[in-house]
Amino acid sequence: MYAVGAVALLIAVLTFIGLRREPQPAIVQSATLSTPTAPIPLDSKTLAVLPLRTSASDEASVLIAQSVTDLIRNRLAALQHLTVVASSSTSGLTHARADMQSIGEKLHARFLLTGGADRVGERLHVSIELVDAQLGKQLWSHSFDRPITEVAAIREEVFKHVGASLRISHEAASSHGHPAN
């Protein structure tokens, strides 16, 4: 008996609420075509560190290239006036054949750091290139050939050159808990 009364009360309340609602306007889809917009300018304070390529296919060489990429990306992220694109956004671009301008547009990054890393015996060969994706021009490039134990020195040298090329102070990075040299 009480159950029938409760159901009747619930129906009455729902009906009352439904009657008090204002009718929702119908969604109208426009049949007009949108006009193309101008390309979005790339953020001049954003850099994407693309995964460094390796000429070897063994797992150890791939891991070394990934590690060097991560070390460089993490160090550059310490620059206060620079936004570094997350590794999850760049990881699929390891063997990308797209031009640098397309990659920059995809990542909304004005600057791209690309190159390769190969281990030859106990030495590490790293080549790095800093590219202005918007202009499609190389700003800086350098090759390093050092003992594998000096990977931190390579990271710091890349950090200093990229900061100087983009005119970003290195002192700002020391406040982020990273050594300046």
Side-chain angles (χ1 to χ4, degrees):
M1 180 97 174
Y2 291 110
V4 173
V7 171
L9 179 61
L10 181 60
I11 291 173
V13 169
L14 291 175
T15 303
F16 178 73
I17 290 172
L19 293 175
R20 295 194 62 208
R21 285 176 129 185
E22 299 202 13
Q24 298 294 320
I27 296 175
V28 178
Q29 293 182 342
S30 173
T32 61
L33 296 174
S34 62
T35 57
T37 58
I40 299 171
L42 301 178
D43 187 345
S44 64
K45 298 295 182 194
T46 301
L47 172 108
V49 179
L50 303 180
L52 297 179
R53 296 174 309 279
T54 180
S55 60
S57 60
D58 63 288
E59 188 176 340
S61 296
V62 172
L63 288 174
I64 288 171
Q66 289 173 348
S67 296
V68 173
T69 301
D70 290 341
L71 286 170
I72 292 170
R73 179 185 299 105
N74 293 339
R75 185 66 174 112
L76 289 170
L79 289 170
Q80 191 172 25
H81 300 290
L82 183 68
T83 301
V84 177
V85 176
S87 62
S88 59
S89 298
T90 60
S91 62
L93 300 171
T94 304
H95 300 289
R97 295 286 181 220
D99 68 299
M100 293 294 134
Q101 290 174 320
S102 297
I103 292 172
E105 288 173 8
K106 178 181 179 182
L107 298 172
H108 302 288
R110 169 85 184 255
F111 302 102
L112 304 175
L113 195 69
T114 185
D118 286 299
R119 180 180 183 170
V120 180
E122 292 303 311
R123 298 195 64 79
L124 183 62
H125 178 76
V126 178
S127 60
I128 300 288
E129 178 182 41
L130 179 65
V131 176
D132 182 325
Q134 188 167 345
L135 300 177
K137 83 177 204 183
Q138 178 180 322
L139 300 176
W140 171 81
S141 70
H142 193 74
S143 291
F144 305 90
D145 188 19
R146 299 215 179 135
I148 198 156
T149 57
E150 294 184 18
V151 69
I154 295 172
R155 175 197 67 198
E156 290 305 312
E157 213 168 315
V158 170
F159 170 76
K160 288 177 183 175
H161 285 292
V162 170
S165 295
L166 300 180
R167 294 183 175 86
I168 297 173
S169 170
H170 301 156
E171 289 78 37
S174 61
S175 67
H176 285 72
H178 293 286
N181 51 10

